[in-house]
Amino acid sequence: MNFKKQKHSPGKIHSSNTLETYDEMFKRLKKNKKGAFVPFIVAGDPEFETSLQIVKTLLESGADALEIGFAFSDPVADGPTIQESDLRALDSGMNTQKSFEFIKRIREFTSIPIGLLVYYNLIYKKGVDEFYKEAKRCGVTSILSADLPPEEAEEALQAAKKYNINQIFLVAHTTQKNRLDKICQMASGFIYLVSVMGVTGARKEVQNSTVDLIKRIRNHSDLPVMVGFGISKSSHVKDVIQAGAQGAIVGSAIIEIISKNHDKPELMLQKIKKETSKMKEATLIEVI
Amino acid sequence: MIESGKFGKYGGIFAPELLIPALEELESAFLKYKDDKKFNQELEFYLKEFAGRPTNLYLAKNLSQKLGCRIYLKREDMLHTGAHKINNTLGQGLMAKYMGKKRLIAETGAGQHGIATAAVGALFGMPTDVYMGMEDVKRQRLNVFRMEISGAKVIPVETGSKTLKDAINESMRDWMTNVQDTHYLIGSTMGFHPYPTMVKHFQTVIGKETKNQILEKEKKLPDVIIACVGGGSNAIGIFSEFIPDSEVELIGVEGGGHGIKSGNHGATLCAGSEGVLHGSLSYVLQDTDGQICEAHSVSAGLDYPGVGPEHAYLHTQRRARYVNVTDSQALRGFQLLSCYEGIMPALESAHAIAYMEKYAQKPENKGKTIVVNLSGRGDKDMFLAASILGVEV
Ligand SMILES: Cc1ncc(COP(=O)(O)O)c(C=O)c1O
């Protein structure tokens, strides 16, 4: 695999103080009048080494940060595409320890922010403090648990603070004003805006209400907003960034390519490259 | 949320953000209607006229004589649709109607809860979709037909292990997508707050009746109450009224499957550990990383790798004791009650019967007054029982 070095990449990293923070990433992008393109994949889908190749391809396409899921047997907030991805990873022998190992391997070649998406039981079972400590050791920038609302997040927040990891929270269309205030206070790094009613999965278009919600959050808080769930085309990326979001998180659209082509790795990587490059291009902010 | 939904440290609201407003809405509706006179009058009407409450507390004479105890059966098996599940579906269904919801969804294992939800959907004129694992759809064709004939749509679930836990996952996903007009009618005392509290509330009618009935018949409280535990709704329904009466022993019987050692079982409290599944912190069957294991029990209603959080609390507080009974012991319970009393229990309830026999046979328990919650009738299990017993029907 021919791995070209990232143009914007702040260079090789190895100690945690040279890792890029979300703040630094957003600043760098702002200067270039761009939004963030953040791909999501599940660690170890379809298996460990191929998955690492996928990460390298995503970086070549211009990923500004990565969201990496730890495979879980019962991912209720995800649609069928990501659930199958979880199950493929588990079938290939992935577990929590190997997923951390995966992050360490990624850290050998990039310093951009890495966010984890982990269902809470995996964190709880390992021990909250222990999990965050290990995450820090591996170079994780942020952690998001799809099934951990602010009501239950006290222990996680403590650990996040202790190990200097950003705790990410979701905001949805259904989130009311008071709650939005509370979440904005608790969150750090960025606000993860769920763009659709429902679970993850590819969608035809970005809902108007998403655009309204981006504006609502922007009026509320200085935290950057990234939009995920259902962002599956370069036009969606463009729409949410034009609407004022600082970035777009794209999962199912990439994972669908993995699903359909994982028995032909070269072709799969080509397709991912093509699709995600278009998405990165769509992050250019047009001044109207 | 107004309340935390915690039982000790168990329970809570481990829900995706998208569902929080719906859970808040549900909680406030529940807090309002549970003490609302009109709502309760209407619910009582349906419980009596539609479901057939109150159910009898029946002295099983032959078994009492055989085992040397006084054995009472709380006859939830006599209810419309065949099990205690209808208490909860009527309660939640009526609430959904009061809340102006237009559609019901539910998960089901064997189909008991699905049938009870379909019946209530038909009663209240609400379109009803029931998620059922493909494995269960194949095993329980008759129940699929029963739901469909009541106008419900049965949606086979092809993801994961294709059983109850996946049906729950799929129901949650549907709810996340259609949360504005849809009520998710969870079938047991599990899930995120307010479900464990709300389902318990609608099932406490079992324990309230039992207490009055036993005091009338025996002029004293029973020595022990035995109930099977899947998610835990029939058990909490009969236990809760007696929790303050510390002299009454409470025993929950889990599905022991092929035995704990085999690893194929549904004995979550006996052999599981603390974890977060389907919205609450409780006990779960999981591996060392926290990946959820598949459960196994001959009875689909006990075939679940989680358990309601209040049972985790009662277990760790030692207010209730949890045991398990294997598939083959349960089958013996099924035969025992059928041939001594002419009552065919559901295979779930047969677990409670089987443990009751074991309990009554201990010398120290001679002469005790025992109440078994007969949560459902065996009609749904006849084909399965026949095939296990090698009879062609
Ligand atoms: C007859 C009967 N008993 C018990 C159960 C187990 O559920 P729970 O533990 O919620 O009472 C079921 C579930 O389907 C059932 O049908």
Side-chain angles (χ1 to χ4, degrees), chain A residues 76-145:
Chain A
V76 289
D78 287 296
T81 307
I82 293 179
Q83 169 155 21
E84 276 165 34
S85 176
D86 281 18
L87 297 180
R88 272 195 305 272
L90 289 173
D91 282 345
S92 84
M94 289 304 288
N95 56 30
T96 302
Q97 190 223 322
K98 284 184 188 159
S99 299
F100 277 126
E101 191 60 35
F102 189 78
I103 304 295
K104 273 200 271 184
R105 290 284 298 278
I106 299 176
R107 276 297 178 224
E108 289 170 7
F109 51 82
T110 186
S111 62
I112 64 173
I114 298 179
L116 298 191
L117 202 143
V118 193
Y119 281 87
Y120 192 58
N121 198 44
L122 300 184
I123 297 177
Y124 187 83
K125 187 74 176 144
K126 189 171 173 68
V128 177
D129 188 87
E130 195 53 37
F131 191 98
Y132 279 72
K133 188 172 159 188
E134 180 66 10
K136 188 65 190 179
R137 218 170 59 82
C138 298
V140 165
T141 319
S142 70
I143 296 180
L144 163 63
S145 285

Side-chain angles (χ1 to χ4, degrees), chain B residues 69-376:
Chain B
C69 286
R70 289 184 72 73
I71 296 160
Y72 283 92
L73 305 174
K74 180 60 175 164
R75 297 293 307 274
E76 296 297 293
D77 62 315
M78 296 294 279
L79 288 172
H80 178 45
T81 67
H84 70 291
K85 298 280 177 190
I86 194 80
N87 303 326
N88 170 49
T89 49
L90 275 173
Q92 281 193 53
L94 192 62
M95 239 182 68
K97 200 176 119 182
Y98 274 59
M99 290 168 74
K101 298 289 175 187
K102 299 281 182 279
R103 170 178 176 255
L104 299 176
I105 56 171
E107 82 290 344
T108 198
Q112 239 11 65
H113 174 58
I115 289 166
T117 307
V120 165
L123 174 67
F124 295 142
M126 296 168 97
T128 301
D129 288 349
V130 179
Y131 287 91
M132 188 171 185
M134 191 62 201
E135 287 301 317
D136 294 326
V137 168
K138 280 191 237 154
R139 284 190 287 206
Q140 301 283 346
R141 287 239 153 264
L142 186 63
N143 279 349
V144 172
F145 181 61
R146 280 171 150 178
M147 287 182 260
E148 286 173 348
I149 207 85
S150 312
K153 192 164 102 200
V154 177
I155 305 173
V157 175
E158 298 270 12
T159 51
S161 62
K162 304 178 191 176
T163 59
L164 179 60
K165 87 176 167 71
D166 307 281
I168 296 173
N169 293 344
E170 235 22 80
S171 305
M172 287 185 175
R173 290 173 181 142
D174 180 316
W175 202 34
M176 275 182 251
T177 312
N178 302 297
V179 67
Q180 261 125 1
D181 70 344
T182 296
H183 175 68
Y184 177 19
L185 210 163
I186 293 187
S188 191
T189 44
M190 39 139 305
F192 7 68
H193 177 64
Y195 284 101
T197 303
M198 183 170 66
V199 176
K200 165 180 144 169
H201 173 79
F202 291 129
Q203 291 293 1
T204 48
V205 64
I206 307 174
K208 285 185 180 140
E209 285 177 10
T210 303
K211 199 169 208 176
N212 289 334
Q213 289 165 325
I214 196 78
L215 286 174
E216 192 173 298
K217 286 175 199 276
E218 291 284 322
K219 310 283 181 280
K220 66 175 182 81
L221 293 175
D223 295 303
V224 58
I225 297 177
I226 302 175
C228 66
V229 177
S233 67
N234 87 87
I236 214 74
I238 196 165
F239 286 176
S240 65
E241 200 61 22
F242 295 89
I243 289 173
D245 306 310
S246 57
E247 69 275 27
V248 180
E249 198 181 352
L250 305 174
I251 301 177
V253 186
E254 299 192 304
H258 300 320
I260 302 279
K261 283 203 193 94
S262 73
N264 292 319
H265 59 79
T268 312
L269 287 164
C270 293
S273 54
E274 277 178 10
V276 176
L277 174 66
H278 294 146
S280 56
L281 173 62
S282 183
Y283 272 55
V284 290
L285 298 177
Q286 58 187 336
D287 72 6
T288 51
D289 273 354
Q291 304 290 348
I292 308 304
C293 301
E294 279 172 38
H296 165 81
S297 170
V298 67
S299 65
L302 307 186
D303 195 352
Y304 177 57
V307 65
E310 192 169 3
H311 287 291
Y313 178 66
L314 295 174
H315 171 62
T316 50
Q317 295 294 302
R318 300 182 189 279
R319 176 60 192 97
R321 189 155 65 82
Y322 296 86
V323 297
N324 69 93
V325 151
T326 63
D327 288 354
S328 56
Q329 289 167 335
L331 212 70
R332 181 178 150 74
F334 176 81
Q335 292 169 289
L336 185 76
L337 194 66
S338 303
C339 80
Y340 273 85
E341 297 292 345
I343 299 172
M344 287 169 299
L347 280 177
E348 291 81 7
S349 325
H351 285 70
I353 298 293
Y355 188 76
M356 178 275 290
E357 186 193 19
K358 216 160 145 180
Y359 182 92
Q361 281 167 341
K362 290 186 185 154
E364 69 268 28
N365 293 330
K366 194 127 217 91
K368 283 192 174 171
T369 304
I370 302 173
V371 173
V372 178
N373 195 16
L374 201 65
S375 57

Side-chain angles (χ1 to χ4, degrees), chain A residues 47-62:
Chain A
E47 52 78 44
F48 196 100
E49 292 301 330
T50 314
S51 189
L52 264 186
Q53 292 301 316
I54 293 171
V55 169
K56 288 180 179 170
T57 304
L58 295 169
L59 292 173
E60 284 176 39
S61 302

